Amino acid sequence: MNGPSSNDWVLPAHPKLLKGKTLAVIVLDGWGEQVPDQYNAIHVASTPTMDSLKEGAPEHWRLIRAHGPAVGLPSEDDMGNSEVGHNALGAGRIFAQGAKLVDHALETGKIFEGAGFKYIQECFSDGTLHLIGLLSDGGVHSRYDQLQALMRGSAAHGAKRIRVHALTDGRDVLDGSSFHFMEQLEKDLEELRKQGVDALLASGGGRMYVTMDRYENDWNVVKRGWDAQVLGEAPNKFKSGLEALKHLKAANPKFNDQYCPPFVIIDDSGKAVGPILDGDAVVTFNFRADRMIMLAKALEYEDFDKFDRVRVPKINYAGMLQYDGELKLPSRYLVNPPEIDRTSGEYLVKNGVRTYACSETVKFGHVTFFWNGNRSGLFDENLECYYEIPSDQGITFNEQPLMKALEIGEKARDAILSGKYDQVRVNLPNGDMVGHTGDIKATIIACEAADKAVKMILDAIDQVGGIYLVTADHGNAEDMVKRNPKTAQPLLDKNGNIQILTSHTCWPVPIAIGGPGLSPGVRFRADLPDGGLANVAATMMNLLGFEAPADYEPSLIEVVES
Ligand SMILES: O=C(O)[C@H](O)COP(=O)(O)O
Ligand SMILES: [Mn+2]
Ligand SMILES: [Mn+2]
């Protein structure tokens, strides 16, 4: 759909709700609602502010859906994530997301007929096809069945030599599952070899230490991947992926999938089996954008000064999707990304709403880029300010669970008190980023820090007579163990230890509204029990005194005579 003509951007005034109240929009990253037991870090944490909001139920506090089809994912079994969550929050409508679009392109075979694949195919006669991405079935950044289909389809369409550069997960799936995925990958590669394709694993490393950094937090992460994938150099050299994982784990009691050190696979003569060379094709097979953009820049940009690439091979490179529509990065891709247009951010700015958005680096793109439909930059520099607080680098966040929550709270407070903004939007990363480490104690501290930051912002809203909307993008910290789906009891591993859940969840998330500026008659509607994140944009527009566009998912609020 094309954008409306300039007149169509005008949002009608809400018949009952006035403009002019400062609205704070707080997104608690990874903050869902689940049974209140000892493995629910949010429940165990002391969170007086979030608890007090709950007392407003059902009129001012409720739960909304943040997973599966409600955020454009293929099935009810798909947990939510930041990309789809913030896309839905900002866009006010549900778009089929990358996971679903790639499924469709593979099922119909259309992926192999597109211009992106044809471009890759140009290298098949003389070069190697390199596939780089996350080895996982988490469905957040990638899915293993899609990699399988891509390998098989590429072979069927003429690829003679395939090299896989695998990033181990342990963040969207259980820690330790890299062994299972590696075993499966090695079997699948062997199957291809039986069919006459020279198919091998070429390199590997853990996603958080190798390649998958985001928002330019730490280019060393991408460099480590570049050295292994492109140059064929890494401190660790092995004959197979499984051997690599076994050795690296045995050598380090703290080994985990997310932070596995980089390794390359070598042949009998000690030579790396799959560096990326001139004339090769490269596909980054993750569908999700944030953690592929930095590598895409390194692979595609001629001018590049983030690290010394040493050798820049002349390759035909395509992303599974285009990761950044504004930067047109990468310029070639296999599947068209969702076209997320007419986001609430764009509407509001075109209706004069002054916006301040803030988070720390690791989530900064979430409240800006994802929120605006995977679009970089400001809509209007006169009306908007996006403020990034640098994240700590090179640590796992259980070492520093407070992260920058209080700094984000302070920035938001100052923006609210300045009177310069109508909307102040933040993402508080703690529950999610620390939840992903699987460290329950640290996650409890993280949740307490996020709660304090919420309080700072709500206090500022109190002072200026404004309104707040507090919600989350998906669950994480509320469930830190893998459970038996029938009994909800924690599952044990073969050694009798509780299986820690580092991933997101499928639980709903809270949404709360309030503040002195909220008209007394405003309450959550009772007729939208299945409401989800996509209903939030219209709700925000109403709170700012506007009607939402007709095709937005309906607002969660109504105004009754009080
Ligand atoms: O990229 C990550 O850190 C995880 O895979 C998903 O977390 P997010 O969706 O909250 O960013
Ligand atoms: Mn998130
Ligand atoms: Mn997360």
Side-chain angles (χ1 to χ4, degrees), residues 29-30 81-82 171-172 214 288 363 432-433 436 474 476 504:
D29 212 292
N81 68 71
S82 292
R171 188 172 177 91
D172 301 325
R214 65 178 165 208
R288 173 160 150 173
K363 297 285 179 183
D432 183 68
M433 292 302 287
H436 278 304
H474 51 75
N476 184 339
H504 298 169

PDB file of all heavy atoms in Angstrom, residues 29-30 81-82 171-172 214 288 363 432-433 436 474 476 504, ligand 3:
ATOM      1  N   ASP A  29      11.082  -4.310  28.348  1.00  0.00           N
ATOM      2  CA  ASP A  29      11.452  -5.388  27.432  1.00  0.00           C
ATOM      3  C   ASP A  29      11.455  -6.715  28.190  1.00  0.00           C
ATOM      4  O   ASP A  29      12.041  -6.817  29.268  1.00  0.00           O
ATOM      5  CB  ASP A  29      12.832  -5.101  26.822  1.00  0.00           C
ATOM      6  CG  ASP A  29      12.928  -5.641  25.420  1.00  0.00           C
ATOM      7  OD1 ASP A  29      12.928  -6.867  25.264  1.00  0.00           O
ATOM      8  OD2 ASP A  29      12.987  -4.818  24.478  1.00  0.00           O
ATOM      9  N   GLY A  30      10.752  -7.718  27.615  1.00  0.00           N
ATOM     10  CA  GLY A  30      10.786  -9.055  28.217  1.00  0.00           C
ATOM     11  C   GLY A  30      10.097  -9.145  29.567  1.00  0.00           C
ATOM     12  O   GLY A  30      10.650  -9.673  30.520  1.00  0.00           O
ATOM     13  N   ASN A  81       8.950 -11.532  20.099  1.00  0.00           N
ATOM     14  CA  ASN A  81      10.318 -11.008  20.179  1.00  0.00           C
ATOM     15  C   ASN A  81      10.276  -9.505  19.946  1.00  0.00           C
ATOM     16  O   ASN A  81       9.229  -8.941  19.626  1.00  0.00           O
ATOM     17  CB  ASN A  81      11.253 -11.731  19.205  1.00  0.00           C
ATOM     18  CG  ASN A  81      10.960 -11.452  17.754  1.00  0.00           C
ATOM     19  OD1 ASN A  81      11.206 -10.354  17.275  1.00  0.00           O
ATOM     20  ND2 ASN A  81      10.431 -12.434  17.041  1.00  0.00           N
ATOM     21  N   SER A  82      11.425  -8.880  20.119  1.00  0.00           N
ATOM     22  CA  SER A  82      11.453  -7.416  20.088  1.00  0.00           C
ATOM     23  C   SER A  82      11.099  -6.844  18.728  1.00  0.00           C
ATOM     24  O   SER A  82      10.437  -5.811  18.633  1.00  0.00           O
ATOM     25  CB  SER A  82      12.848  -6.912  20.443  1.00  0.00           C
ATOM     26  OG  SER A  82      13.141  -7.170  21.776  1.00  0.00           O
ATOM     27  N   ARG A 171      20.032 -18.815  23.287  1.00  0.00           N
ATOM     28  CA  ARG A 171      19.371 -17.594  23.785  1.00  0.00           C
ATOM     29  C   ARG A 171      17.878 -17.634  23.436  1.00  0.00           C
ATOM     30  O   ARG A 171      17.046 -17.280  24.248  1.00  0.00           O
ATOM     31  CB  ARG A 171      20.050 -16.377  23.154  1.00  0.00           C
ATOM     32  CG  ARG A 171      19.617 -15.020  23.691  1.00  0.00           C
ATOM     33  CD  ARG A 171      20.533 -13.960  23.095  1.00  0.00           C
ATOM     34  NE  ARG A 171      20.182 -12.603  23.471  1.00  0.00           N
ATOM     35  CZ  ARG A 171      20.666 -11.956  24.528  1.00  0.00           C
ATOM     36  NH1 ARG A 171      21.489 -12.572  25.337  1.00  0.00           N
ATOM     37  NH2 ARG A 171      20.323 -10.702  24.758  1.00  0.00           N
ATOM     38  N   ASP A 172      17.579 -18.044  22.218  1.00  0.00           N
ATOM     39  CA  ASP A 172      16.177 -18.228  21.821  1.00  0.00           C
ATOM     40  C   ASP A 172      15.767 -19.685  21.982  1.00  0.00           C
ATOM     41  O   ASP A 172      14.596 -20.036  21.794  1.00  0.00           O
ATOM     42  CB  ASP A 172      15.965 -17.810  20.357  1.00  0.00           C
ATOM     43  CG  ASP A 172      16.345 -16.352  20.132  1.00  0.00           C
ATOM     44  OD1 ASP A 172      16.127 -15.545  21.056  1.00  0.00           O
ATOM     45  OD2 ASP A 172      16.869 -16.025  19.054  1.00  0.00           O
ATOM     46  N   ARG A 214      24.420  -5.895  17.696  1.00  0.00           N
ATOM     47  CA  ARG A 214      23.428  -5.017  17.057  1.00  0.00           C
ATOM     48  C   ARG A 214      23.631  -3.569  17.477  1.00  0.00           C
ATOM     49  O   ARG A 214      24.215  -3.283  18.506  1.00  0.00           O
ATOM     50  CB  ARG A 214      22.003  -5.469  17.370  1.00  0.00           C
ATOM     51  CG  ARG A 214      21.616  -5.364  18.823  1.00  0.00           C
ATOM     52  CD  ARG A 214      20.174  -5.803  19.003  1.00  0.00           C
ATOM     53  NE  ARG A 214      19.851  -6.053  20.382  1.00  0.00           N
ATOM     54  CZ  ARG A 214      18.932  -6.904  20.794  1.00  0.00           C
ATOM     55  NH1 ARG A 214      18.241  -7.615  19.928  1.00  0.00           N
ATOM     56  NH2 ARG A 214      18.671  -7.056  22.068  1.00  0.00           N
ATOM     57  N   ARG A 288      15.614 -11.947  10.603  1.00  0.00           N
ATOM     58  CA  ARG A 288      15.467 -10.739  11.435  1.00  0.00           C
ATOM     59  C   ARG A 288      16.626  -9.773  11.199  1.00  0.00           C
ATOM     60  O   ARG A 288      17.779 -10.187  11.032  1.00  0.00           O
ATOM     61  CB  ARG A 288      15.382 -11.132  12.901  1.00  0.00           C
ATOM     62  CG  ARG A 288      15.397  -9.942  13.834  1.00  0.00           C
ATOM     63  CD  ARG A 288      14.862 -10.247  15.195  1.00  0.00           C
ATOM     64  NE  ARG A 288      15.481  -9.414  16.207  1.00  0.00           N
ATOM     65  CZ  ARG A 288      15.100  -9.386  17.467  1.00  0.00           C
ATOM     66  NH1 ARG A 288      14.098 -10.147  17.865  1.00  0.00           N
ATOM     67  NH2 ARG A 288      15.715  -8.621  18.332  1.00  0.00           N
ATOM     68  N   LYS A 363      19.037  -1.693  23.065  1.00  0.00           N
ATOM     69  CA  LYS A 363      17.607  -1.646  22.724  1.00  0.00           C
ATOM     70  C   LYS A 363      17.220  -0.331  22.042  1.00  0.00           C
ATOM     71  O   LYS A 363      16.032  -0.082  21.825  1.00  0.00           O
ATOM     72  CB  LYS A 363      16.750  -1.815  23.997  1.00  0.00           C
ATOM     73  CG  LYS A 363      16.916  -3.144  24.704  1.00  0.00           C
ATOM     74  CD  LYS A 363      16.218  -4.287  23.988  1.00  0.00           C
ATOM     75  CE  LYS A 363      16.421  -5.601  24.709  1.00  0.00           C
ATOM     76  NZ  LYS A 363      15.825  -6.751  24.029  1.00  0.00           N
ATOM     77  N   ASP A 432      14.611  -8.322  29.969  1.00  0.00           N
ATOM     78  CA  ASP A 432      14.942  -9.136  28.797  1.00  0.00           C
ATOM     79  C   ASP A 432      16.430  -9.475  28.726  1.00  0.00           C
ATOM     80  O   ASP A 432      16.809 -10.634  28.610  1.00  0.00           O
ATOM     81  CB  ASP A 432      14.538  -8.402  27.529  1.00  0.00           C
ATOM     82  CG  ASP A 432      14.803  -9.266  26.326  1.00  0.00           C
ATOM     83  OD1 ASP A 432      14.110 -10.283  26.181  1.00  0.00           O
ATOM     84  OD2 ASP A 432      15.720  -8.945  25.555  1.00  0.00           O
ATOM     85  N   MET A 433      17.271  -8.457  28.785  1.00  0.00           N
ATOM     86  CA  MET A 433      18.700  -8.700  28.549  1.00  0.00           C
ATOM     87  C   MET A 433      19.301  -9.577  29.652  1.00  0.00           C
ATOM     88  O   MET A 433      20.146 -10.423  29.393  1.00  0.00           O
ATOM     89  CB  MET A 433      19.475  -7.381  28.470  1.00  0.00           C
ATOM     90  CG  MET A 433      19.155  -6.542  27.260  1.00  0.00           C
ATOM     91  SD  MET A 433      19.455  -7.375  25.684  1.00  0.00           S
ATOM     92  CE  MET A 433      21.238  -7.374  25.618  1.00  0.00           C
ATOM     93  N   HIS A 436      17.886 -13.221  29.454  1.00  0.00           N
ATOM     94  CA  HIS A 436      18.543 -14.062  28.445  1.00  0.00           C
ATOM     95  C   HIS A 436      19.811 -14.737  28.980  1.00  0.00           C
ATOM     96  O   HIS A 436      20.323 -15.660  28.362  1.00  0.00           O
ATOM     97  CB  HIS A 436      18.945 -13.223  27.225  1.00  0.00           C
ATOM     98  CG  HIS A 436      17.830 -12.982  26.258  1.00  0.00           C
ATOM     99  ND1 HIS A 436      17.114 -13.999  25.681  1.00  0.00           N
ATOM    100  CD2 HIS A 436      17.334 -11.839  25.732  1.00  0.00           C
ATOM    101  CE1 HIS A 436      16.221 -13.488  24.851  1.00  0.00           C
ATOM    102  NE2 HIS A 436      16.327 -12.178  24.869  1.00  0.00           N
ATOM    103  N   HIS A 474       7.102  -8.473  24.976  1.00  0.00           N
ATOM    104  CA  HIS A 474       6.950  -9.943  24.991  1.00  0.00           C
ATOM    105  C   HIS A 474       7.416 -10.400  26.354  1.00  0.00           C
ATOM    106  O   HIS A 474       8.031  -9.628  27.108  1.00  0.00           O
ATOM    107  CB  HIS A 474       7.806 -10.624  23.911  1.00  0.00           C
ATOM    108  CG  HIS A 474       9.225 -10.191  23.952  1.00  0.00           C
ATOM    109  ND1 HIS A 474      10.109 -10.618  24.917  1.00  0.00           N
ATOM    110  CD2 HIS A 474       9.910  -9.296  23.196  1.00  0.00           C
ATOM    111  CE1 HIS A 474      11.270 -10.032  24.734  1.00  0.00           C
ATOM    112  NE2 HIS A 474      11.182  -9.194  23.709  1.00  0.00           N
ATOM    113  N   ASN A 476       9.665 -12.713  29.106  1.00  0.00           N
ATOM    114  CA  ASN A 476      10.984 -13.309  29.287  1.00  0.00           C
ATOM    115  C   ASN A 476      11.218 -13.551  30.782  1.00  0.00           C
ATOM    116  O   ASN A 476      11.210 -14.694  31.230  1.00  0.00           O
ATOM    117  CB  ASN A 476      12.089 -12.420  28.682  1.00  0.00           C
ATOM    118  CG  ASN A 476      13.477 -13.047  28.772  1.00  0.00           C
ATOM    119  OD1 ASN A 476      13.719 -13.919  29.585  1.00  0.00           O
ATOM    120  ND2 ASN A 476      14.399 -12.630  27.929  1.00  0.00           N
ATOM    121  N   HIS A 504      12.618 -16.001  25.310  1.00  0.00           N
ATOM    122  CA  HIS A 504      11.331 -15.341  25.520  1.00  0.00           C
ATOM    123  C   HIS A 504      10.270 -16.403  25.789  1.00  0.00           C
ATOM    124  O   HIS A 504      10.565 -17.595  25.742  1.00  0.00           O
ATOM    125  CB  HIS A 504      10.927 -14.555  24.266  1.00  0.00           C
ATOM    126  CG  HIS A 504      11.892 -13.475  23.919  1.00  0.00           C
ATOM    127  ND1 HIS A 504      11.833 -12.799  22.729  1.00  0.00           N
ATOM    128  CD2 HIS A 504      12.942 -12.958  24.606  1.00  0.00           C
ATOM    129  CE1 HIS A 504      12.801 -11.906  22.693  1.00  0.00           C
ATOM    130  NE2 HIS A 504      13.488 -11.981  23.814  1.00  0.00           N
TER     131      HIS A 504
HETATM  132 MN    MN B   3      15.065 -10.663  24.179  1.00  0.00          MN
END
